[in-house]
Amino acid sequence: MKIPAFRQLHVTVIFLILLLGFLSWTLGLTVVYFIGKESLKERIGTNFQKIAEETGKNLASVIEGHIESANALSLTNDVRSVVAASNRLDSGSRREARIAGLREAWSKGGDSPGARKIMENPASRFLKRFLKSNNEREEHHLILVADAAGNLAAANAAPARSYFADQQWWKAAFNEGKGSVYVSDIDEASFFAGREKTYLLTIAVPVMDADGTRAVGVLAMVHPVRQFFELVTRVKVARTDHTMLAGSDGSLLFCPIFMIKNHRL
């Protein structure tokens, strides 16, 4: 039995309507998906940018705060007096002899008479009080003062060496007597004998003369990276995310998961 022509046409029209509806629905979902995807990517990118900018501002503020603290310490009478006294001992032909004498004293350990004389002077006691009274001990690996010859003049704890004129932070901050603020790269090191190396950031400022025209010494603050950049780990996008700090060359400077400088972005 043949199906009437009008019924065939009716079925064909219904089929075409359904097909067109399905195609329109599919096209609509596709458009919505891609528009939504791009919108989401743009929103996530904007959020990441804001987080990066805010983290950068926080880090800059923290570093500037420690530079201000270092400058303030370098201006105190205790620090200036001990630097002036140390420079007098370095004058003329006595410089090389004093460098050798301090090295010999330090080779005998921090409890030797020569080391105790420095570690118990007014500036060293002042630095110890500063850390204790400001609850900043965890933020500092070491605070030390070196004179114009690079010899140790004061410190809150006995470092492994007594001569620093060959160190980059001393050279940059002393700047041939002109003085300059120096913030180091993140280096794996230890300033104490017998301790394991850890990742450190050094901030050094010049100790200027009474007129403020010439550097007569250097004050250095040495910070453990993990405590210093702790605020970075507090920034999260989602529950399982974490924030990393990378240098301009892509090397990892701080991360709560990966080893520092053993991972690149």
Side-chain angles (χ1 to χ4, degrees):
M1 181 179 178
K2 289 185 178 182
I3 299 176
F6 75 91
R7 292 192 61 183
Q8 289 183 346
L9 179 61
H10 183 70
V11 172
T12 301
V13 170
I14 293 175
F15 175 76
L16 289 174
I17 291 172
L18 292 175
L19 179 61
L20 289 173
F22 176 76
L23 292 175
S24 299
W25 177 74
T26 303
L27 179 61
L29 284 181
T30 303
V31 171
V32 170
Y33 168 76
F34 283 107
I35 292 176
K37 182 179 179 181
E38 291 302 316
S39 177
L40 182 61
K41 287 170 63 177
E42 183 178 349
R43 180 174 297 180
I44 291 174
T46 301
N47 289 340
F48 280 152
Q49 183 178 359
K50 289 181 179 178
I51 291 171
E53 290 174 353
E54 189 63 28
T55 301
K57 290 178 182 178
N58 289 341
L59 288 174
S61 177
V62 170
I63 291 175
E64 288 170 3
H66 282 288
I67 291 173
E68 290 177 3
S69 294
N71 278 323
L73 290 175
S74 74
L75 293 172
T76 60
N77 289 330
D78 285 323
V79 170
R80 281 184 162 180
S81 296
V82 78
V83 168
S86 186
N87 284 335
R88 286 194 293 269
L89 295 174
D90 292 335
S91 62
S93 59
R94 293 182 294 179
R95 172 173 292 200
E96 294 301 323
R98 183 160 187 259
I99 292 173
L102 285 175
R103 282 178 170 170
E104 182 180 359
W106 242 253
S107 69
K108 298 176 182 178
D111 292 331
S112 66
R116 285 202 304 271
K117 187 175 181 180
I118 292 176
M119 296 310 303
E120 294 174 2
N121 68 32
S124 292
R125 293 198 300 269
F126 167 71
L127 294 177
K128 293 172 187 176
R129 291 196 305 271
F130 168 77
L131 290 182
K132 186 175 180 180
S133 63
N134 287 274
N135 297 317
E136 292 184 343
R137 187 173 300 275
E138 291 299 319
E139 292 186 17
H140 293 80
H141 184 75
L142 175 68
I143 302 179
L144 65 85
V145 180
D147 64 19
N151 290 317
L152 181 69
N156 69 294
R161 59 190 297 172
S162 61
Y163 182 70
F164 301 97
D166 57 349
Q167 300 297 295
Q168 178 60 34
W169 57 264
W170 186 92
K171 294 178 182 178
F174 192 71
N175 193 22
E176 299 179 344
K178 292 175 285 190
S180 181
V181 174
Y182 173 77
V183 179
S184 76
D185 190 6
I186 293 175
D187 299 312
E188 188 177 17
S190 176
F191 277 72
F192 300 113
R195 288 197 191 178
E196 292 184 1
K197 290 183 177 182
T198 185
Y199 290 102
L200 303 172
L201 176 78
T202 302
I203 295 174
V205 299
V207 179
M208 304 300 290
D209 62 12
D211 298 326
T213 58
R214 182 169 179 79
V216 294
V218 173
L219 184 143
M221 284 183 166
V222 185
H223 303 272
V225 170
R226 183 159 292 277
Q227 281 84 7
F228 190 71
F229 288 132
E230 185 182 11
L231 66 91
V232 176
T233 64
R234 299 174 186 170
V235 181
K236 288 183 176 290
V237 181
R239 185 176 300 175
T240 59
D241 293 326
H242 65 276
T243 305
M244 299 182 291
L245 179 66
S248 57
D249 62 351
S251 61
L252 196 62
L253 301 180
F254 179 79
C255 177
I257 296 177
F258 294 109
M259 292 291 291
I260 300 172
K261 291 199 171 183
N262 288 344
H263 183 70
R264 297 182 69 87
L265 299 180

